[in-house]
Amino acid sequence: DGGITQSPKYLFRKEGQNVTLSCEQNLNHDAMYWYRQDPGQGLRLIYYSQIVNDFQKGDIAEGYSVSREKKESFPLTVTSAQKNPTAFYLCASNAGTSNQPQHFGDGTRLSIL
Amino acid sequence: GESVGLHLPTLSVQEGDNSIINCAYSNSASDYFIWYKQESGKGPQFIIDIRSNMDKRQGQRVTVLLNKTVKHLSLQIAATQPGDSAVYFCAENMGWGGGFKTIFGAGTRLFVKA
């Protein structure tokens, strides 16, 4: 059945290491999003993509990078420049219009070793 | 489970009672609003939405009320069940840079006592 799959569920990063979080959707959605969730805070937008081969920075893009080579896939790389990467990362998608809800994956929990 | 929502407002209700979760949104120009439910260790799930040209919308056991005058949104859950225990948060869509932007609230944790 259709949905968004994020992997891995748990990820550990060493100092100075880049790590990549996977997000795949089979909903045929044009738009995809990456959010960071910290305790007691609302979701904060890292990057979003409205269409293949195009993406835009969100509110907290520093230390992160993305690519959108396929409609189904929107991987997020957490680089060593991100000094406080410990968080719950959520990927979402929707049709890209302003009156449609976003559908979320089940998240990746990133921690520092 | 995940440590999402450690310091959130909390609502505790008895099983079978009705729950009301409130949300104050930020932008009077926002035109679309959504309620999500997030269980521990999971991603948010869509519950119900409402457009700004409406003031009430009902789903199965849930009702959303929109008061644009005071920029307030509420989610009512009828006959609350233990499975309703989760963090609930609202989101608003507003025009931004020729497109739109979604702003998420921090959420309210609902505990249902059996």
Side-chain angles (χ1 to χ4, degrees):
Chain A
D1 44 283
I4 300 179
T5 301
Q6 290 187 241
S7 63
K9 187 165 179 66
Y10 299 96
L11 186 58
F12 297 90
R13 195 192 87 170
K14 295 179 182 178
E15 293 286 342
Q17 185 183 41
N18 294 352
V19 291
T20 298
L21 285 59
S22 170
C23 178
E24 303 278 332
Q25 55 100 358
N26 60 4
L27 299 166
N28 200 33
H29 284 160
D30 285 318
M32 296 187 74
Y33 310 81
W34 273 106
Y35 293 95
R36 172 179 170 137
Q37 188 173 38
D38 294 284
Q41 297 188 36
L43 303 185
R44 292 186 290 167
L45 182 65
I46 304 172
Y47 268 98
Y48 67 100
S49 168
Q50 296 280 55
I51 198 168
V52 175
N53 291 321
D54 184 57
F55 49 84
Q56 305 294 330
K57 292 182 179 180
D59 299 318
I60 54 165
E62 185 174 348
Y64 301 98
S65 66
V66 294
S67 62
R68 186 87 187 277
E69 297 175 2
K70 297 187 299 181
K71 186 175 186 177
E72 303 79 19
S73 179
F74 191 40
L76 173 74
T77 297
V78 184
T79 75
S80 57
Q82 172 49 246
K83 298 307 179 187
N84 183 25
T86 296
F88 192 49
Y89 290 87
L90 288 161
C91 179
S93 72
N94 69 359
T97 59
S98 65
N99 59 357
Q100 294 289 323
Q102 293 175 29
H103 298 261
F104 287 84
D106 275 341
T108 293
R109 179 76 182 171
L110 176 62
S111 302
I112 296 297
L113 283 177
Chain B
E2 304 297 341
S3 58
V4 168
L6 276 179
H7 306 291
L8 297 177
T10 299
L11 175 65
S12 184
V13 300
Q14 197 68 39
E15 181 180 2
D17 287 351
N18 296 336
S19 303
I20 300 176
I21 300 170
N22 297 302
C23 175
Y25 64 91
S26 60
N27 195 308
S28 57
S30 293
D31 57 7
Y32 176 65
F33 304 87
I34 314 111
W35 278 101
Y36 290 96
K37 172 187 180 183
Q38 187 175 22
E39 298 175 68
S40 184
K42 298 276 186 77
Q45 294 172 272
F46 168 78
I47 302 173
I48 192 168
D49 57 1
I50 188 168
R51 292 183 173 81
S52 59
N53 60 354
M54 304 171 69
D55 52 22
K56 180 179 181 178
R57 190 163 188 227
Q58 289 185 286
Q60 188 177 11
R61 280 203 308 120
V62 294
T63 300
V64 55
L65 298 178
L66 175 63
N67 184 331
K68 294 182 286 292
T69 302
V70 295
K71 295 191 289 186
H72 184 266
L73 197 65
S74 69
L75 176 71
Q76 301 178 1
I77 305 173
T80 313
Q81 303 168 359
D84 294 328
S85 294
V87 173
Y88 291 82
F89 56 89
C90 64
E92 59 182 298
N93 277 8
M94 51 182 277
W96 180 65
F100 68 94
K101 182 174 183 175
T102 304
I103 299 173
F104 294 87
T108 296
R109 181 177 296 280
L110 176 65
F111 284 112
V112 182
K113 295 176 285 187

